[in-house]
């Protein structure tokens, strides 16, 4: 891990270069792939060109359009050229069929709504489709049909979506303390198990794969996280449940659902938390001096903070967080043709983001990383819509996560075992200390961070060096991620004004330390919205929420030696106060095949 953090005063050299994005999309339908393969073989026979091999879904180029692939292989996809990428709001070759029926869940007959994909080509069959179980919010008029737009949209993208009516108030705090959460009467896990078992029996067996997505809104959002920990990798009917993704939309606490740590180890491959800033539940439940039960906490405690072996990493999920400025608690109900204006644009964007996320993490279509990691705005995202993203990969090289050090034994919620060692400060213009993030002004996070404060006319920097002159090879990674955020209401942070910092890598060459080109790191000011939190009077809801700045390693210059990295520097011009967490290299650097 990290050995020393140093501070100094220099003026950084700023360089700009955007990394290339090249990835492949693979449709999981069976018959189109067979037809495409036959066409490809005919072309190969006629042209004499060797045929490309076909790997499992999500791991190779598509098996059609060989000439187009050859032409595109040398052309980088730029963020501004979003028209060259698939629009995640557009549907594919499926229509959607609606099914309504009643199902007995814990002795009570419940209404269920399901949407199944129907190929536009009647010659094709629906085979090996992932199943999404959606748990609705409670209170008011929420029910399965509250998400009709979202369900129909996802079915048209090849997913089977089943939404049962359920009662989140059917189980109590005492019940939730039971040893076997999946057997608790009325629990989300029990409801989901019943729905999956019934779906396997009700519809043709070949309709489904063993891949499951758990999606929930509000109390249902917190419920699906708890349910995943209870039923992930268990047997239902005659199949082992493989949860590919858990999606928690505007999660809200129900009793103890969010008070326990849900690391999702061995339970789900990916985890997405989606929230909006103008939401009455964004404050969560808990005392002001404790970690409050919010979606930020769910994100923070999931996964692992540590470097993991390949086998251990496979147990943990990749995790992402989307935080949208404005919006409302109903943003995630899905699109409705009768809506227009701002509300429609928010719902359209949310549906498109869910689709992009699932197509990436369930179907394995890496082209959608452009929207999730590379900062490309979706065509369905209006310019006026502002959002922040956080990401942490299970396959990563941790530079530092600040969970331990300076006499602390670390935070339970953040987990992790890294240690900075010594901190050497060579400048009085910059100070830093580790803190529990939730003790900072309006910060919702359940993790420990490095709080950094500076006020100087020059440009101080933080230097992170590996201990004992250790060098690391990061050439197999694609990105450097730094989770960072301004502290709301601090005198050095100007309201609604972002800060432009920069990062440079330190490498060794011929026995000397070499600084790379600089890469820009923009840190926006926290969202400020007016809401009514948890029955209190109207108040300004401000959140010193962090987001992940994702920097392609290509941004540090073509000549940087990624095989011999000694450390990195973060340059902090002017004045300010930020919290920093999760500095890590991640992302597979793939080689584009040439045909």
């Amino acid at each position: 891990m990290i050995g020393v953090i140093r501070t100094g005063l220099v003026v950084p050299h700023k360089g700009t270069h955007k990394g290339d994005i090249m990835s492949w999309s693979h449709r999981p339908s069976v018959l189109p792939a067979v037809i495409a393969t036959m066409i490809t073989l005919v072309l190969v026979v006629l042209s004499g060109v060797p045929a490309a091999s076909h790997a499992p879904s999500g791991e190779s180029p598509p098996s059609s359009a060989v000439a187009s692939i050859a032409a595109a292989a040398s052309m980088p996809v730029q963020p501004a050229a979003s028209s060259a990428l698939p629009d995640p709001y557009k549907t594919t070759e499926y229509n959607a069929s609606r099914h309504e029926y009643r199902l007995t869940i814990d002795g009570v007959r419940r209404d269920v709504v399901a949407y199944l994909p129907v190929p536009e080509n009647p010659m094709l069959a629906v085979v090996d489709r992932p199943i999404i179980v959606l748990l609705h919010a409670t209170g008011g008029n929420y029910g399965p049909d509250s998400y009709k737009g979202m369900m129909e949209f996802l079915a048209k993208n090849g997913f089977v979506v089943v939404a049962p009516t359920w009662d989140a108030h059917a189980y109590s705090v005492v019940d939730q303390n039971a040893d076997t959460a999946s057997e608790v009467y009325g629990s989300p896990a029990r409801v989901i198990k019943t729905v999956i078992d019934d779906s396997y029996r009700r519809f043709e067996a070949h309709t489904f794969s063993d891949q499951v997505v758990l999606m929930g809104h509000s109390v249902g959002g917190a419920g699906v996280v708890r349910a995943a920990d209870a039923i992930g990798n268990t047997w239902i009917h005659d199949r082992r449940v493989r949860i590919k993704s858990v999606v928690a939309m505007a999660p809200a606490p129900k009793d103890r659902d969010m008070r326990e740590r849900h690391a999702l180890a061995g339970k789900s491959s990916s985890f997405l938390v989606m929230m909006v800033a103008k939401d009455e539940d964004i404050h969560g439940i808990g005392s002001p001096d404790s970690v409050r039960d919010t979606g930020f906490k769910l994100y923070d405690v999931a996964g692992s903070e540590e470097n993991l072996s390949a086998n251990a990493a496979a147990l943990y999920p990749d995790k992402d967080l989307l935080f949208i400025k404005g919006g409302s608690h109903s943003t995630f109900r899905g699109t409705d043709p009768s809506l227009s204006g701002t509300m429609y644009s928010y719902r359209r964007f949310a549906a498109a983001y869910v689709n992009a996320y699932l197509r990436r993490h369930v179907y394995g279509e890496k082209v959608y990383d452009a929207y999730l990691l590379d900062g490309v705005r979706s065509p369905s995202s209006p310019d006026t819509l502002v959002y922040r993203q956080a990401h942490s990969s299970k396959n990563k090289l941790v530079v530092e996560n600040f969970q331990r050090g300076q006499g602390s034994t670390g935070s339970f919620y953040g987990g992790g075992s890294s240690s900075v060692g010594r901190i050497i400060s060579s400048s009085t213009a910059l100070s830093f200390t580790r803190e529990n993030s939730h003790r900072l002004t309006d910060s919702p996070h359940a993790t420990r961070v490095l709080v950094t404060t500076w006020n100087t006319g020059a440009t101080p920097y933080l230097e992170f060096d590996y201990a004992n002159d250790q060098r690391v090879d990061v050439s197999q990674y694609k990105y450097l991620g730094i989770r960072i955020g301004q502290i709301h209401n601090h005198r050095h942070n100007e309201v609604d004004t972002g800060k432009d910092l920069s990062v440079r890598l330190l490498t060794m060459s011929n026995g000397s330390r070499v600084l790379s080109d600089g890469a820009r790191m923009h840190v926006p000011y926290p969202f400020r919205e007016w809401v009514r939190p948890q029955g209190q009077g109207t108040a300004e809801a401000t959140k010193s929420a962090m987001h992940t700045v994702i920097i392609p390693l290509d941004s540090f210059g073509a000549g940087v030696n990624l095989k011999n990295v000694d450390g990195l520097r973060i340059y902090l011009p002017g004045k300010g106060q930020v919290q920093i967490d999760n500095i890590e290299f991640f992302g597979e650097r793939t080689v584009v095949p040439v045909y």
Side-chain angles (χ1 to χ4, degrees), residues 357-394:
Y357 193 83
L358 296 182
R359 296 185 75 85
R360 170 62 181 93
H361 289 280
V362 179
Y363 290 166
E365 298 181 22
K366 296 182 180 180
V367 68
Y368 287 97
D369 279 342
Y371 302 118
L372 305 175
L373 299 178
D374 291 305
V376 177
R377 292 184 71 92
S378 164
S380 56
S381 170
D383 293 337
T384 55
L385 192 146
V386 180
Y387 57 93
R388 313 272 187 258
Q389 296 165 286
H391 173 82
S392 184
S393 174
K394 58 188 175 186

Side-chain angles (χ1 to χ4, degrees), residues 520-538:
R520 176 176 177 265
M521 182 167 69
H522 183 70
V523 184
Y525 195 79
F527 294 151
R528 298 187 299 144
E529 299 287 0
W530 294 88
V531 298
R532 187 183 299 275
Q534 295 296 321
Q536 303 174 21
T538 301

Side-chain angles (χ1 to χ4, degrees), residues 477-525:
Y477 298 104
K478 187 176 181 180
Y479 304 103
L480 169 66
I482 302 176
R483 196 177 181 210
I484 188 169
Q486 291 193 50
I487 307 299
H488 168 255
N489 212 27
H490 190 272
R491 66 185 184 279
H492 292 339
N493 294 333
E494 185 177 349
V495 174
D496 294 334
T497 302
K499 296 186 182 299
D500 285 322
L501 314 183
S502 64
V503 184
R504 299 173 75 177
L505 296 181
L506 285 161
T507 62
M508 294 298 295
S509 179
N510 297 323
S512 300
R513 300 183 89 194
V514 178
L515 275 171
S516 71
D517 291 344
R520 176 176 177 265
M521 182 167 69
H522 183 70
V523 184
Y525 195 79

Side-chain angles (χ1 to χ4, degrees), residues 31-228:
L31 190 54
V34 173
I35 295 174
T37 302
M38 294 174 64
I39 295 174
T40 303
L41 292 174
V42 172
L43 292 174
V44 167
V45 171
L46 294 176
S47 62
V49 178
S53 61
H54 297 279
S57 174
E59 300 179 2
S60 70
S63 55
S64 61
V66 174
S68 298
I69 291 176
S74 60
M75 300 185 344
V77 180
Q78 300 296 333
S82 58
S83 60
L85 296 168
D87 183 349
Y89 188 69
K90 290 185 178 179
T91 57
T92 58
E93 70 270 21
Y94 296 99
N95 293 313
S97 64
R98 176 185 171 93
H99 303 259
E100 300 176 9
Y101 50 94
R102 294 178 67 81
L103 176 63
T104 299
I105 302 176
D106 285 330
V108 179
R109 296 290 287 174
R110 302 284 188 183
D111 292 327
V112 181
V113 175
Y115 280 84
L116 270 65
V118 178
E120 292 179 351
N121 185 342
M123 298 293 292
L124 303 181
V126 177
V127 178
D128 291 335
R129 298 291 85 198
I131 181 172
I132 299 174
V133 181
L134 191 156
L135 293 188
H136 60 76
T138 60
N141 297 318
Y142 281 107
D145 270 333
S146 301
Y147 310 88
K148 176 182 177 181
M150 176 75 80
M151 296 170 69
E152 184 176 1
F153 170 71
L154 292 174
K156 289 181 178 179
N157 275 277
F159 296 96
V160 176
V161 191
V162 183
T165 303
W166 76 295
D167 183 3
H169 303 292
Y171 64 110
S172 67
V173 175
V174 175
D175 290 333
Q176 292 183 68
N177 287 324
D179 292 333
T180 308
S182 61
E183 296 303 322
V184 172
Y185 179 87
S187 72
R190 193 175 176 95
V191 171
I192 290 170
K193 285 178 65 177
T194 303
V195 168
I196 293 175
D197 180 70
D198 174 77
S199 297
Y200 285 159
R201 300 171 187 273
R202 181 178 300 272
F203 303 106
E204 294 185 50
H206 65 263
T207 299
F208 303 105
S209 67
D210 59 354
Q211 297 177 342
V212 174
V213 175
L214 303 186
M215 181 184 298
H217 178 218
S218 189
V219 173
V224 295
V225 179
R226 181 180 179 84

